[in-house]
Amino acid sequence: MSKQEKTEVLSAPEQPRDRERYEAQRIEQKWFDRWQEQPEMYRAEPATSARKKYYVLEMLPYPSGALHMGHVRNYSIGDALARFMWMKGYNVLHPMGWDAFGLPAENAALKNNTPPREWTLNNVENMKRQMKRLGFSYDWNTEVTTCLPDYYRWNQWFFLKFYERGLAYRRKSKVNWCPECATVLANEQVVNGCCWRHEETQVEQRDLEQWFFRITDYAEELLRDIEKLEGWPEKVRTMQRNWIGRSEGAQVEFRVADSEEKITVFTTRIDTIFGATSLQLAPEHPAVSRLIGNDPELLTKLDAIVDEQRRAREAGTIGETEKHGFFTGAYAINPFNQEKLPIWVANYILMEYGTGAIMSVPAHDERDYEFAKKYDIEIRIVILPRRHEESRPEEATLPYTAMDSLLINSSEFSGLGNQEAIQKMTRHAEEKGFGKGTVTYRLRDWGISRQRYWGTPIPMLYCEKCGIVPVPEKDLPVLLPDNIEITQQGGSPLARVPEFVNAKCPKCGGKARRETDTMDTFVDSSWYFYRYTNAKLATAAIDSKAVSYWFPIDQYIGGVEHAILHLIYSRFWTKVMRDLGLIKNSEPVERLFTQGMVIKNGAKMSKSKGNVVSPDDMVGRYGADSTRVYALFAAPPDRDLDWQENGVEGVSRFLAKVHRLVTRYAALQNAKSAAGDGRPSGRVSSSVARDLERKLHQTLRRVSTDFEGRWHFNTSIAAIMELVNAISAADSQIVSGEVSPQQVRLMLRDLVLMLAPFAPYISSELWENLGERSQLLRESWPKFDPELAREEEIEIPIQINGKNRSRIIVPAGLPEADVQARALADEKIHALLEGKSVVKVIVVPDKLVNIVAR
RNA sequence: GCGAAAGUGGCGGAAUUGGCAGACGCACCAGACUUAGGAUCUGGCGGGUAAAACCGUGAGGGUUCGAGUCCCUCCUUUCGCACCA
């Protein structure tokens, strides 16, 4: 049976013209149906495979209801890469899952009276349908849904392991509380001091008992290992460094005069301690109340500062408020010189950083300077620039903070360079027992308790006799009850389910109360990518063997908004898993890529702006291929992308052109081979044929190097468009047979192969039209031949004094001297140089000639 | 305030190392084919000119035979951090 006959069996009685028409919906539906019948198609080989592995991962979405364009862009990048790596012969793991716990499900439940579970799983179904329709090559056998017990039970298991190691602990802490929602809010859900859902409602700070993970134990390693993350964007590495915020310094203990009280300050500049002229405490510092006693005036002032700080913190304006404070009436003794320093309370001191107390050195710290100026506190200069004879700091140059300076007025330390002084003075403090060198981090322990329903129950019990008791491993999972009424009442919803709350103590058998808080959803996403490697494993959280084959993740792709939280938690979790002996790697992700946002009319897509473009709409109108190709073509993937619908239309026209060409020439060839005509000569003969061959190999080169290097898929696609334009321009030579049918065929094959990572539907269709029956995904990526890609003749400009004056055509690689001779011999140039003297001729081989003349 | 990235036609963007600025696409204009066109094909398309010259990559300086690209000063936009002691 000839190929032509086959085609006709498949697509019934069509006219040739019709067959060339690109019907995206029909083609996509056809392949969609076929792919549905092959669920194993995107399945990776098992971890025992000898093939080189490649793990490409896109950040799993929250099942909010429907995909948005940001998702489509993210997954189009990942899918192009996954398909490319498959074609390069790698064993590719390309999974997808759902970050399915979280507050929106509860809000939706309130609004529509749908249980969170049902709402979430419906959304999952819909979004999975969208992903499949878009043709993303996910292996759905490894799907992970975090709200299902077979996943979250391992969150609970990890929690127990953390608890055993002292990495999970409970303490009282401040939380954001929305009185309207009657729940705790995450920091991200507080917008300008108000609840994100109730924009009029001020968020309150409440003290609650909370569970924490001791991420600060890993602060040092998390910081150090950032150096190893060479495949991460520098921006993300910097953000993580700042977030951890390591600073080296010393703690110094000050006695309070006429009291038992001692106040420890943290400073990075112990070298300036002789310049300290007061102590400043955070308003919430525990010593404050003891120092001011019940002086009503001071108490009022204190309350005002506490209040002000809280509001500034909520509004995000902390740092902008004018500095002020009050004198407590008490004095502290500087342990270095026994001087009495007044103790103040100041609004610019934060309880959560360092020790919540500082020594104030107005001469050498901007903030202290501002404060001292306001309250007329003494300003004492104790360091000077090294060449201080010439530049003794005047009042106007204060505060003077340079690290390269000399100490003065500092007793026996005077004359030391300040680096040396820091060391000596720290040692002095240690020897005398009133201080020590120490390191402080900005990073706080990770508070994971949420007073919400839709999350992983924390597997802990409170026994009247035994206190805090972990749920035994064998009793996991602690199931989230289904039959719960979501209301706006206060407290954890689970606390209102007696069957859940009331339990037996596993230690003494007595009455116990279950923990009713659930875990932060960032717990779910901290380790999900390990689960993908053996998602159905029932006996353990992860399959260590599979993990050691697949990890680290070769390429992780997602939005930059996760640069800190998700990615730092994931790194932390990995290190803990390593210390638990579960895995060998210390970092989860080898290379990270952060794609730009999708915007429309210059603004981020949002419902309130009314500029949302729905993927379903795009797919319905132009097809998945056009939507995907446009998402990659409109901008380089790391930059923001401005969505323009007629751009999608342009891409669709391009695909239609490809479809027309390939289908037409495939039919032509079939006709020729049926007629025994057009047997290839094997050699490319005509110049048009040679030009096409060169263009093909240049295109292959550009697309291949873009995949391996810069990921500028916009230029890859532009290159393919150029190739298609070139083929189309050679139409008459192709039809006439001047370009051999064999060459045309090979060229079309390569064209389709190059398009395959970007536009899987049309590529599969055209592959079939070319008479191929193999699975496109497993075809090997075409190699380019540098010899064939080489230009033979190059047109180069000739400049006189940097201005283009003529052009000549020279053979590629012509020696400089010959190029120069030809340039000078050029008629136009010759005429223009009349009466001038040539000073110098610069020849850039294969690029240009510049004649410097006077 | 600190840090990072970016600024190129009417628009999205190209120019990987200092070497023809504006690839590719959109929009627009003219034409061809057509009963029809939101299909397809051909040509044009930074400003300027009859054509040239000339001008042109946020602004101003500099280095160089040559600068979108390197250096200095400044402006604008976006993002991140922000009383971190």
Side-chain angles (χ1 to χ4, degrees), chain A residues 56-62 67 70-71 74-75 78 94-99 127 131 138 232 236 240 522 525 528-529 532 553 555-568 570 589 591-595:
Chain A
V56 54
L57 179 69
E58 295 121 51
M59 289 180 184
L60 87 178
Y62 177 78
L67 293 182
H71 292 126
N74 187 177
Y75 308 147
H94 188 212
M96 184 43 74
W98 311 97
D99 188 14
M127 289 167 77
M131 288 182 183
Y138 300 123
W232 286 39
V236 174
Q240 291 215 355
F522 277 107
S525 55
Y528 73 101
F529 34 75
Y532 281 142
I553 294 159
Q555 184 70 62
Y556 198 15
I557 306 163
V560 75
E561 65 273 18
H562 297 107
I564 297 178
L565 293 180
H566 163 56
L567 288 167
I568 224 162
S570 296
V589 175
R591 288 170 56 82
L592 174 72
F593 187 88
T594 50
Q595 94 266 10

Side-chain angles (χ1 to χ4, degrees), chain A residues 528-557:
Chain A
Y528 73 101
F529 34 75
Y530 286 103
R531 185 79 183 161
Y532 281 142
T533 63
N534 190 343
K536 288 176 185 140
L537 186 63
T539 53
I542 61 149
D543 174 345
S544 295
K545 275 217 182 86
V547 166
S548 70
Y549 173 80
W550 286 109
F551 272 76
I553 294 159
D554 293 274
Q555 184 70 62
Y556 198 15
I557 306 163

